[in-house]
Amino acid sequence: MRLFVIGATGRTGQEILSLAIPRGHTVTAYVRSPQKIASDGKRIAVWKGSPTDEERLAEAMQNHDAVFSVLGPVDTSMAGTLLQKSALATTRAMKRAKVERLAILSAAALFPGFLNGIARRILRVHMEDCLAMEKIVESSGLEWTIARPPRLTGGGSTTYRSREGAPPKMGFVLSRRAVASFMLDVVEQKSHLQKIVGIAK
Ligand SMILES: NC(=O)c1ccc[n+]([C@@H]2O[C@H](COP(=O)([O-])OP(=O)(O)OC[C@H]3O[C@@H](n4cnc5c(N)ncnc54)[C@H](OP(=O)(O)O)[C@@H]3O)[C@@H](O)[C@H]2O)c1
């Protein structure tokens, strides 16, 4: 498949790239910092652009099968509206480019629960941005899947548990590699269409 990754220089984005190539996909890394991506010129192409620039996104997205969005603010305490602005630009660009499938990264803290409530209070601005992003995606009419993982870790395996509409029981962490694996799986398998999915180790 021809995959389009927004946030490809990030830690989850890098995992998507490293798993997608051995799975036989080609990837366009849509990034603000192209120097951070090692492109082989064959399986990985790089486009420089802003994730809130609908015009540029629509141009870059032509002839792709699916879009992955794994953006995150550099500092969650300083988060703003990046995720919602990007979601709006991305969903509009996808319609213009006639790309239907979207897998997007959100956060398990948006599920109900005491501990999630604490996390939502600590990360209030970022969580509001995540929720607004989700609302835009849910009302887009596209074939979306929203992934809600708990605390993300480095390293680890590609193994995950998933549950539609709720977090997997006693799942408190997940590796970014497993998040990437889940997002690739749902696109390859056309699963969890128009669902919010809790994922965890
Ligand atoms: N940390 C956790 O425990 C946790 C738990 C659950 C969910 N999440 C979610 O995971 C996401 C973060 O994933 P991650 O750790 O893989 O991210 P990350 O490593 O921090 O990477 C963030 C990506 O977003 C890009 N980016 C940030 N600000 C940008 C801007 N203004 N314009 C263009 N690109 C921008 C970065 O580009 P540059 O490389 O150019 O900076 C990078 O590609 C967050 O949205 C968060 O809600 C995190």
Side-chain angles (χ1 to χ4, degrees), residues 91-166:
T91 52
R92 286 178 174 167
M94 286 178 68
K95 286 177 195 166
R96 287 169 59 173
K98 300 193 171 15
V99 184
E100 285 291 318
R101 191 72 175 103
L102 171 65
I104 192 162
L105 178 59
S106 184
L110 293 177
F111 285 124
F114 178 71
L115 291 176
N116 287 333
I118 294 174
R120 280 197 303 278
R121 270 196 295 282
I122 294 170
L123 300 169
R124 189 179 58 81
V125 181
H126 178 52
M127 286 300 120
E128 285 171 3
D129 195 22
C130 280
L131 191 60
M133 170 191 81
E134 287 195 354
K135 297 290 171 215
I136 290 163
V137 169
E138 285 177 280
S139 62
S140 66
L142 295 166
E143 294 179 351
W144 52 268
T145 302
I146 294 172
R148 284 187 178 176
R151 186 168 64 80
L152 299 179
T153 62
S157 75
T158 54
T159 312
Y160 58 81
R161 292 178 294 140
S162 63
R163 200 172 160 207
E164 284 187 358

Side-chain angles (χ1 to χ4, degrees), residues 8-132:
T9 54
R11 288 163 290 180
T12 308
Q14 289 288 295
E15 297 288 4
I16 291 176
L17 263 56
S18 74
L19 292 179
I21 299 307
R23 289 185 185 206
H25 302 298
T26 57
V27 179
T28 298
Y30 182 89
V31 298
R32 65 172 171 180
S33 325
Q35 72 282 0
K36 291 187 184 174
I37 297 276
S39 167
D40 61 0
K42 292 182 198 147
R43 307 293 292 276
I44 301 176
V46 184
W47 270 71
K48 181 176 176 164
S50 160
T52 60
D53 185 341
E54 178 188 330
E55 209 57 48
R56 181 86 174 145
L57 281 164
E59 186 191 355
M61 258 177 213
Q62 299 292 327
N63 301 314
H64 285 79
D65 298 304
V67 172
F68 294 74
S69 181
V70 287
L71 287 171
V74 173
D75 179 352
T76 43
S77 66
M78 302 280 286
T81 54
L82 171 70
L83 299 184
Q84 54 191 290
K85 284 182 178 151
S86 174
L88 198 58
T90 299
T91 52
R92 286 178 174 167
M94 286 178 68
K95 286 177 195 166
R96 287 169 59 173
K98 300 193 171 15
V99 184
E100 285 291 318
R101 191 72 175 103
L102 171 65
I104 192 162
L105 178 59
S106 184
L110 293 177
F111 285 124
F114 178 71
L115 291 176
N116 287 333
I118 294 174
R120 280 197 303 278
R121 270 196 295 282
I122 294 170
L123 300 169
R124 189 179 58 81
V125 181
H126 178 52
M127 286 300 120
E128 285 171 3
D129 195 22
C130 280
L131 191 60

